[in-house]
Amino acid sequence: MEFKDIATVAGKPGLYKVLKPSRSGVILESLDEKKGKLVVGAAQRVSLLSEISIYTLTEEGASPLQDIMVKIEKEFQGDTGLEGADKEEYQAFMKHILPEFDEDRVYASDVKKLINWYHIIRTQCPEVLDEETGKEDNKTEEEEK
């Protein structure tokens, strides 16, 4: 599995594996113990994790979510220590991982969601957090361009 195979649905918690497109939208499978299937129509907003970025103050303006998650895995290996953390702790964590993140546009709730997604991915499909796999994915995307 790769980041382009994992999606989030606006208004629904958790992450979903993209199974296949259908006539009315896309078929997703939840990345949890239940493995429930869901058909999402065109009216609902579905975002692939490979297309999500975190705002930064750099020239590019954003950093890909995949790079950030690989960095979290490399440094913390699953133990972020943020269970029950407050707003300042989430901001400090983000500052540690991505010093140039835009504090005005990245909220503590966004960081909390990032950590939740990280734990889901680490549990259900840890291979996507492998740094080498991530580099191969980026090379493939660049070769396609």
Side-chain angles (χ1 to χ4, degrees), residues 46-95:
V46 176
S47 301
L48 299 176
L49 291 194
S50 61
E51 298 173 351
I52 298 175
S53 299
I54 302 284
Y55 291 115
T56 64
L57 299 172
T58 62
E59 196 173 302
E60 294 83 29
S63 183
L65 185 67
Q66 181 173 356
D67 295 350
I68 295 165
M69 287 211 181
V70 167
K71 194 171 184 180
I72 292 171
E73 174 62 17
K74 192 174 178 183
E75 190 157 335
F76 293 94
Q77 295 168 357
D79 185 18
T80 57
L82 290 173
E83 290 74 30
D86 63 9
K87 178 183 174 182
E88 288 78 25
E89 289 174 303
Y90 283 119
Q91 295 289 53
F93 174 83
M94 198 66 204
K95 193 87 167 157

Side-chain angles (χ1 to χ4, degrees), residues 22-131:
S22 70
R23 279 188 271 168
S24 60
V26 66
I27 300 172
L28 304 174
E29 179 182 71
S30 64
L31 286 178
D32 59 13
E33 294 77 36
K34 297 176 187 171
K35 300 286 184 202
K37 290 191 174 58
L38 168 72
V39 178
V40 180
Q44 288 182 286
R45 206 170 77 227
V46 176
S47 301
L48 299 176
L49 291 194
S50 61
E51 298 173 351
I52 298 175
S53 299
I54 302 284
Y55 291 115
T56 64
L57 299 172
T58 62
E59 196 173 302
E60 294 83 29
S63 183
L65 185 67
Q66 181 173 356
D67 295 350
I68 295 165
M69 287 211 181
V70 167
K71 194 171 184 180
I72 292 171
E73 174 62 17
K74 192 174 178 183
E75 190 157 335
F76 293 94
Q77 295 168 357
D79 185 18
T80 57
L82 290 173
E83 290 74 30
D86 63 9
K87 178 183 174 182
E88 288 78 25
E89 289 174 303
Y90 283 119
Q91 295 289 53
F93 174 83
M94 198 66 204
K95 193 87 167 157
H96 176 76
I97 292 298
L98 188 67
E100 63 276 3
F101 88 102
D102 188 342
E103 294 181 47
D104 294 332
R105 299 197 299 178
V106 179
Y107 303 106
S109 60
D110 299 327
V111 180
K112 186 175 182 178
K113 189 182 296 185
L114 167 73
I115 300 302
N116 288 336
W117 289 353
Y118 165 73
H119 286 296
I120 291 169
I121 289 172
R122 190 163 201 283
T123 303
Q124 300 297 325
C125 45
E127 69 276 4
V128 301
L129 295 174
D130 181 36
E131 192 171 16

